[in-house]
Amino acid sequence: MNYISEDIFPKNYKHLDVEKKIVQEWDKENIYSNFNPDSKKKIFSVDTPPPTASGYLHIGHVFSYSHQDFIVRFRRMMGEEIFYPMGWDDNGLPTERRVQDYFNVKCDPEEKSVENILEKIKENKKSSSALKVSRNNFIELCHIVTTEDEKVFKELFMKIALSVDWNHEYTTIQDLPRELAQKSFIDLYEKGFVYNTDSPSLWDPEFQTAVAQAEIEDREMPGAFHDIRFETESGESFNISTTRPELLAACVGVAAHPKDKRFKHLIGKNAITPLFGIKVPIFGSELVDMEKGTGILMVCTFGDNVDVQWWQENNLDTRIIVNKYGRLDEVNFGSEGWESKSPEKANIYYSRILGKNLKQAKSEIVDMLSNKDNFENEPALIGKPKEITHSVRFYERSKTPLEILSTRQWFVKLMDKKELLIEKSNQIDWHPDFMRKRFENWTENLQLDWCISRQRFFGVPFPLWYKLDQSSKPDYNNPIVADISDLPIDPTEDTPLGYSESDRGKPNGFIGEKDVFDTWFTSSLTPQIGGKWDKNDNFLDKVFPYDIRPQSHEIIRTWAFYTVVKSALHHNDIPWKNVIISGWVLDPDRKKMSKSKGNVVVPNDLIETYGADAVRYWAANARLGSDTANDEQIFKVGKKLVVKLFNASKFVLNGAPESIDIKNITEPLDLSLIYLFNEYLGQITKNMENFQFSDALNKLEDFFWNYFTDNYIELVKNRSKFNDYGQKTLSGLTTLRLVLENLLKLFAPFTPMITEEIWGWVYRNKNSNYKSIHFEKWPEKLNLDFKDISSEALIIAREAIGAVRKEKTNMGLSLGAEVKEVTIIANKDLQSVLSKVIDDIKDASRSQSIIIKTDSQEGIRASID
RNA sequence: GGGCGAUUAGCUCAGUUGGUUAGAGUGCAGCGUUGACAUCGCUGAGGCCGUAGGUUCGAAUCCUUCAUCGCCCACCA
């Protein structure tokens, strides 16, 4: 029998050096980048979230990506073939803005691409105005900017030991994701799931684009009710209440509750709007809240969603006054649709707000309404505006409230698919399960189809052209759809089949669609992008539906929702079997971390101070779906665990047998430890299979600290380390090494660095092949001949040694003090078990002799002589 | 207004299908060690298990009410 000698161990554990070394080795050996789709093993696939490349890194990333990695590493050790790709999302406004600022350029789809865009930018450097560049050139520039960010991200992800397969790395501006987004559109078009229409939809005047319901957020804003006197045709007056007097010129109706006695007599009559003198119908609607304002209100084109509903239901006129820039557009009172009692006056009043933004227009209108010169008797504005706070809808990135404008947009039909989507969600396992409710809640409450067109410049273009008739009017109902084999295309630069470039914009020619997709339209294809949809034989089929989709809860309504939509519509399938929801990282005051609050924690500092293993340990302590505080204390505990693993391993491996033969495990205490280990292993494995990594880790720690290090090692120390008891010593040494190795494997998903380091001491130098603990098999129950031994022996021995320690403490003795005689007093039922391990207890007590006394009391006590 | 979650020791959290005296880690206090240990061990203090009802032989656990906190959504005239 050969034994391991101590010269293979370093003296101290320096996490910075070791972790750096290990990351380099993993990278050099490419140990995680070797997914084989044809493997006979069961495939485990991850629909990894692609971080926004122009974002910044915070501890929340480390938190949630660690969660995935615990699961992935466990599955890998379970012998599964891991598909763990990584993407970077560089679509969208953040990148667009950065590229604009960085190069002083502006994307213009009308521009033609040039070869040497960087030179052009150099030439433009002195100019103060932004250089107009084509969409393709803009994409080129995005690559340049985002590549740098992606490098930083990748470095961090490697630093925290994510076992990502870097052979399957993509960015959303690459050709393949753009191609697949266009292909997705064409597939939906052919299936009749998309349509375009010119109808009221949500519009952001700041970014000048349509937005989808999912991108809206409500913000509490100050506002004011303005009470404005209206009159009926016959001169009866009444006061409406509005927070948006600037839309007075767009008024198309007046509504009151049909049961409201105050206004019942008005319903069916017509009102005349003040200043503009427009005749509008007064109608009843259950939707009117009698308590709010004056209980009677004006309906405009379009103040809010309900206005749209009333407009449709009551066939009201349309009076558009707000344009795409959020300014008051030109109108002509007296012309058709704008018939006024006194058009001249109306036009004069309107000229004061023409071209103004909505805020300016509001104060002008209020000014005019309160000027008594504008009215025969009293001014139309009654009293002072009553200030209120109300919630206003915004596009989440914008500072200007949303408007409802009539614009032509493309939509994915969803309103008729709610049931289907909920059915799909029910086929998915959500972790934790209650997160499913968020999905259902959102789906049931959907009000609009998914608006997928954005009037932005950077993004994936629609693969569409429109035919022009003789008068150059586009035929939106019969678009020319690109051929799948030509994708990706840019319709502002590429020419449709059957036309030549000279036909562009000409009568009987064509025009290209300028709009780009909502970025979620591409992001919702991460499963298809990762699986290279139809590009690479049946690669997608091998990994789809994915096993897990890890993500956080605030994007259930967007990313999770749209991904389910896409998979349902394209494949009539679920995209993944499990959704793994990580909570948020809160600061110690339980506030959500955000850049604006300035409470963001930079992960690099934490990794430097505590080590990646300790940071991962902290992440592993939070259950799925629950938020966690950024608590320094837990990092310290993690670091303590790492150091303990290091020291315990050094102690166990020093002098351990070079090979393990389980037949050498013969002693009752040793068998008992293994019996208990088997019990723990069963629970830990079950937890890991159910994605309950924090429960698994807690159990593992419990065994490691309370049984293995604090007690078993102490009990067996003398027998195995400092005495030669022959077979008994060998049994102890073998057990120590066997259990340690199994524990290291169980810790490996959580603390992959320290476990890899220790594993390397013993295995790395053996042969030239790199041998990583992370490709070892997850432990299975150790089948030994336990005879009549169960976990009880160890538990009793632990209690007995505890009693001895307590007694020594009471007597003021050091725990290591040699004593003459120890008496263990125990319940007589325990006697037979106790006697099997009594020699180990004697050794650990450092006593010359030991006696067992029995009585009928519960538990175990000790006395020392 | 609708939905979801949380409420257990100073702090962070466990508590399995209801079952003795409610646990862990951390922090605090005291003692003892420091021969695998940037340690470790022992001891101690500290809980009306958010509130009020109910079911039950028995409730932190099941039901109902309310309160507080957080999140998602809706309302936005």
PDB file of all heavy atoms in Angstrom, chain A residues 726-738:
ATOM      1  N   GLY A 726      -3.031  -1.125  12.679  1.00  0.00           N
ATOM      2  CA  GLY A 726      -3.164  -2.117  11.597  1.00  0.00           C
ATOM      3  C   GLY A 726      -4.406  -1.907  10.782  1.00  0.00           C
ATOM      4  O   GLY A 726      -4.640  -0.817  10.258  1.00  0.00           O
ATOM      5  N   GLN A 727      -5.222  -2.928  10.695  1.00  0.00           N
ATOM      6  CA  GLN A 727      -6.434  -2.891   9.891  1.00  0.00           C
ATOM      7  C   GLN A 727      -7.354  -1.745  10.314  1.00  0.00           C
ATOM      8  O   GLN A 727      -7.975  -1.084   9.498  1.00  0.00           O
ATOM      9  CB  GLN A 727      -7.169  -4.232  10.004  1.00  0.00           C
ATOM     10  CG  GLN A 727      -8.559  -4.240   9.367  1.00  0.00           C
ATOM     11  CD  GLN A 727      -8.528  -3.819   7.904  1.00  0.00           C
ATOM     12  OE1 GLN A 727      -7.562  -4.108   7.186  1.00  0.00           O
ATOM     13  NE2 GLN A 727      -9.576  -3.132   7.469  1.00  0.00           N
ATOM     14  N   LYS A 728      -7.411  -1.494  11.638  1.00  0.00           N
ATOM     15  CA  LYS A 728      -8.279  -0.430  12.125  1.00  0.00           C
ATOM     16  C   LYS A 728      -7.825   0.928  11.598  1.00  0.00           C
ATOM     17  O   LYS A 728      -8.629   1.786  11.265  1.00  0.00           O
ATOM     18  CB  LYS A 728      -8.286  -0.414  13.654  1.00  0.00           C
ATOM     19  CG  LYS A 728      -9.025  -1.585  14.235  1.00  0.00           C
ATOM     20  CD  LYS A 728      -9.053  -1.518  15.743  1.00  0.00           C
ATOM     21  CE  LYS A 728      -9.868  -2.693  16.287  1.00  0.00           C
ATOM     22  NZ  LYS A 728     -10.027  -2.610  17.727  1.00  0.00           N
ATOM     23  N   THR A 729      -6.522   1.126  11.539  1.00  0.00           N
ATOM     24  CA  THR A 729      -5.983   2.363  10.994  1.00  0.00           C
ATOM     25  C   THR A 729      -6.314   2.478   9.514  1.00  0.00           C
ATOM     26  O   THR A 729      -6.771   3.516   9.040  1.00  0.00           O
ATOM     27  CB  THR A 729      -4.457   2.409  11.201  1.00  0.00           C
ATOM     28  OG1 THR A 729      -4.210   2.453  12.611  1.00  0.00           O
ATOM     29  CG2 THR A 729      -3.848   3.614  10.526  1.00  0.00           C
ATOM     30  N   LEU A 730      -6.094   1.397   8.820  1.00  0.00           N
ATOM     31  CA  LEU A 730      -6.363   1.409   7.378  1.00  0.00           C
ATOM     32  C   LEU A 730      -7.840   1.711   7.109  1.00  0.00           C
ATOM     33  O   LEU A 730      -8.174   2.451   6.197  1.00  0.00           O
ATOM     34  CB  LEU A 730      -5.978   0.053   6.775  1.00  0.00           C
ATOM     35  CG  LEU A 730      -6.109  -0.050   5.255  1.00  0.00           C
ATOM     36  CD1 LEU A 730      -5.254   1.002   4.565  1.00  0.00           C
ATOM     37  CD2 LEU A 730      -5.711  -1.460   4.795  1.00  0.00           C
ATOM     38  N   SER A 731      -8.700   1.146   7.935  1.00  0.00           N
ATOM     39  CA  SER A 731     -10.128   1.395   7.775  1.00  0.00           C
ATOM     40  C   SER A 731     -10.432   2.880   7.918  1.00  0.00           C
ATOM     41  O   SER A 731     -11.167   3.472   7.122  1.00  0.00           O
ATOM     42  CB  SER A 731     -10.919   0.591   8.814  1.00  0.00           C
ATOM     43  OG  SER A 731     -12.288   0.916   8.756  1.00  0.00           O
ATOM     44  N   GLY A 732      -9.824   3.489   8.939  1.00  0.00           N
ATOM     45  CA  GLY A 732     -10.050   4.918   9.156  1.00  0.00           C
ATOM     46  C   GLY A 732      -9.524   5.752   8.016  1.00  0.00           C
ATOM     47  O   GLY A 732     -10.200   6.660   7.512  1.00  0.00           O
ATOM     48  N   LEU A 733      -8.298   5.463   7.587  1.00  0.00           N
ATOM     49  CA  LEU A 733      -7.687   6.234   6.502  1.00  0.00           C
ATOM     50  C   LEU A 733      -8.509   6.126   5.226  1.00  0.00           C
ATOM     51  O   LEU A 733      -8.712   7.103   4.507  1.00  0.00           O
ATOM     52  CB  LEU A 733      -6.258   5.746   6.250  1.00  0.00           C
ATOM     53  CG  LEU A 733      -5.231   6.121   7.319  1.00  0.00           C
ATOM     54  CD1 LEU A 733      -3.909   5.394   7.064  1.00  0.00           C
ATOM     55  CD2 LEU A 733      -5.006   7.634   7.352  1.00  0.00           C
ATOM     56  N   THR A 734      -8.956   4.909   4.961  1.00  0.00           N
ATOM     57  CA  THR A 734      -9.733   4.691   3.739  1.00  0.00           C
ATOM     58  C   THR A 734     -11.052   5.451   3.794  1.00  0.00           C
ATOM     59  O   THR A 734     -11.455   6.098   2.824  1.00  0.00           O
ATOM     60  CB  THR A 734     -10.010   3.187   3.550  1.00  0.00           C
ATOM     61  OG1 THR A 734      -8.754   2.490   3.604  1.00  0.00           O
ATOM     62  CG2 THR A 734     -10.685   2.920   2.227  1.00  0.00           C
ATOM     63  N   THR A 735     -11.693   5.399   4.956  1.00  0.00           N
ATOM     64  CA  THR A 735     -12.973   6.092   5.102  1.00  0.00           C
ATOM     65  C   THR A 735     -12.805   7.594   4.959  1.00  0.00           C
ATOM     66  O   THR A 735     -13.592   8.260   4.274  1.00  0.00           O
ATOM     67  CB  THR A 735     -13.590   5.778   6.479  1.00  0.00           C
ATOM     68  OG1 THR A 735     -13.638   4.370   6.644  1.00  0.00           O
ATOM     69  CG2 THR A 735     -14.986   6.362   6.590  1.00  0.00           C
ATOM     70  N   LEU A 736     -11.781   8.110   5.598  1.00  0.00           N
ATOM     71  CA  LEU A 736     -11.533   9.553   5.504  1.00  0.00           C
ATOM     72  C   LEU A 736     -11.411   9.973   4.049  1.00  0.00           C
ATOM     73  O   LEU A 736     -12.034  10.929   3.601  1.00  0.00           O
ATOM     74  CB  LEU A 736     -10.234   9.908   6.253  1.00  0.00           C
ATOM     75  CG  LEU A 736     -10.341  10.073   7.769  1.00  0.00           C
ATOM     76  CD1 LEU A 736      -8.948  10.179   8.376  1.00  0.00           C
ATOM     77  CD2 LEU A 736     -11.165  11.303   8.129  1.00  0.00           C
ATOM     78  N   ARG A 737     -10.595   9.235   3.326  1.00  0.00           N
ATOM     79  CA  ARG A 737     -10.355   9.660   1.947  1.00  0.00           C
ATOM     80  C   ARG A 737     -11.606   9.464   1.092  1.00  0.00           C
ATOM     81  O   ARG A 737     -11.957  10.330   0.290  1.00  0.00           O
ATOM     82  CB  ARG A 737      -9.181   8.872   1.358  1.00  0.00           C
ATOM     83  CG  ARG A 737      -9.033   9.189  -0.098  1.00  0.00           C
ATOM     84  CD  ARG A 737      -7.663   9.081  -0.668  1.00  0.00           C
ATOM     85  NE  ARG A 737      -7.786   9.522  -2.061  1.00  0.00           N
ATOM     86  CZ  ARG A 737      -7.048   9.082  -3.032  1.00  0.00           C
ATOM     87  NH1 ARG A 737      -6.094   8.203  -2.805  1.00  0.00           N
ATOM     88  NH2 ARG A 737      -7.228   9.521  -4.257  1.00  0.00           N
ATOM     89  N   LEU A 738     -12.253   8.360   1.260  1.00  0.00           N
ATOM     90  CA  LEU A 738     -13.443   8.062   0.451  1.00  0.00           C
ATOM     91  C   LEU A 738     -14.529   9.101   0.669  1.00  0.00           C
ATOM     92  O   LEU A 738     -15.104   9.645  -0.275  1.00  0.00           O
ATOM     93  CB  LEU A 738     -13.975   6.664   0.816  1.00  0.00           C
ATOM     94  CG  LEU A 738     -15.262   6.243   0.110  1.00  0.00           C
ATOM     95  CD1 LEU A 738     -15.015   6.061  -1.380  1.00  0.00           C
ATOM     96  CD2 LEU A 738     -15.810   4.950   0.719  1.00  0.00           C
TER      97      LEU A 738
END
